[in-house]
Amino acid sequence: MMPYVWAFIVGGGICVFGQICFDVFKLTPAHTMSLLVVLGAFLDAVGLYDPLVDFAGAGATVPITSFGNSLVHGALTELQQDGWIGVITGIFSITSAGISSAIVFSFLAALVVRPKG
Amino acid sequence: MAVKSAGSGSKGYKPVSMSAKEYKAFAQTKEPSRSVWTNCLRAFLVGGLICAIGQGIQKFFMAAFDMTSKQAGNPTVAVLILLAVILTSMGVYDKIAQCAGAGSAVPVTGFANSMSSAAIEHRSEGLVLGVGANMFKLAGSVIVYGVVAAFIVGVVYWLFGIGAWHDTTG
């Protein structure tokens, strides 16, 4: 049961950070999301995001910060394997599942669904 | 002559027009004041719930397909995205978003929602110029800044070969 509790608390906490960016700092959603992604990338660069994933599970992998984390992970993994070219070739290697599925499902939805309101 | 009268005409309206700064201050007084605390609580509850659902899906993949928690991460995200697109198609996700604010925007489901709602909304402009061109209208900034940040991190690691290499396998 505890993994669910920690996922709830950590994931909710990241969302509260986003809400504070909305309400207190008056950032637009696009600015807030960009900030969170860069923050996730930075945390992974200094080696702090992996411990967070081990601790909070989906609480760390579901928020958009995990997207920045995966981009850095892909770049660094292929940098290690293939040398400098890996920085370019590896960036999307892990995030492909998220981006590809979002593109495909959104496209199919646009074919089928009529806009509301 | 005509130019002069147009000039004096616009002069007559001058008190109504405001500078951008004045307008911002004016708009702020008219904004509905929603409590930051209430918003944060809603964001916490909805965001936490989405992550707990993600944890459940991840557990399912780990149990059903004998995956490690890291292997289960990608299919979990894909399932959450599928759910978000379905909810967006039914018009439910936008109702949740009105109440939850960042709680539904920050999880990866919000990313999928921004893409699918843009795709559906611009369908009438055509499959290529509407759906294709507008899908990343909101999500694009996330990808651009994420990729640029990851590139900078990669270059820094490549140049300096920072010693404390953390485990990037899986």
Side-chain angles (χ1 to χ4, degrees):
Chain A
M1 199 57 210
M2 278 320 274
Y4 291 92
V5 175
W6 286 123
F8 191 99
I9 291 174
V10 173
I14 296 172
C15 293
V16 169
F17 179 85
Q19 188 68 47
I20 290 172
C21 291
F22 283 1
D23 286 351
V24 179
F25 301 110
K26 306 282 179 208
L27 295 180
T28 68
H31 280 86
T32 306
M33 296 309 134
S34 305
L35 177 70
L36 283 169
V37 165
V38 173
L39 210 62
F42 175 76
L43 284 178
D44 191 44
V46 295
L48 289 176
Y49 210 87
D50 270 343
L52 187 68
V53 171
D54 289 338
F55 173 69
T61 57
V62 170
I64 199 77
T65 42
S66 136
F67 187 66
N69 165 58
S70 304
L71 291 170
V72 169
H73 253 56
L76 294 188
T77 308
E78 297 216 355
L79 173 67
Q80 209 174 18
Q81 285 170 0
D82 307 336
W84 61 272
I85 193 71
V87 175
I88 288 296
T89 59
I91 284 180
F92 281 115
S93 62
I94 298 175
T95 48
S96 174
I99 296 179
S100 305
S101 58
I103 292 174
V104 171
F105 296 147
S106 299
F107 185 78
L108 294 176
L111 291 183
V112 177
V113 180
R114 301 261 147 249
K116 290 189 174 65
Chain B
M1 258 347 232
V3 175
K4 203 176 181 185
S5 70
S8 67
S10 77
K11 225 171 200 172
Y13 287 107
K14 205 173 184 187
V16 180
S17 73
M18 292 185 239
S19 72
K21 221 175 190 176
E22 283 170 337
Y23 176 76
K24 213 174 172 186
F26 174 72
Q28 222 154 34
T29 64
K30 299 286 173 190
E31 263 177 22
S33 58
R34 284 175 70 182
S35 156
V36 175
W37 290 111
T38 319
N39 284 352
C40 284
L41 183 68
R42 284 173 172 173
F44 180 76
L45 292 177
V46 175
L49 184 67
I50 293 173
C51 292
I53 293 171
Q55 185 75 30
I57 297 171
Q58 190 176 332
K59 274 268 150 33
F60 166 76
F61 275 111
M62 285 162 71
F65 300 102
D66 200 24
M67 289 168 162
T68 66
S69 63
K70 281 194 171 163
Q71 285 174 319
N74 273 336
T76 303
V77 166
V79 168
L80 282 173
I81 285 173
L82 178 62
L83 290 176
V85 172
I86 291 172
L87 288 179
T88 305
S89 306
M90 300 192 310
V92 177
Y93 203 90
D94 295 318
K95 291 210 174 79
I96 302 173
Q98 273 176 3
C99 163
S104 62
V106 171
V108 74
T109 48
F111 179 78
N113 168 253
S114 72
M115 284 177 66
S116 53
S117 59
I120 293 167
E121 195 183 323
H122 293 277
R123 170 69 180 86
S124 57
E125 292 162 37
L127 279 179
V128 176
L129 293 177
V131 177
N134 288 294
M135 193 184 277
F136 282 102
K137 210 170 190 178
L138 298 162
S141 61
V142 169
I143 294 182
V144 168
Y145 282 95
V147 168
V148 171
F151 179 73
I152 292 171
V153 171
V155 168
V156 168
Y157 266 72
W158 173 57
L159 289 178
F160 299 102
I162 295 171
W165 189 281
H166 54 281
D167 179 34
T168 54
T169 51

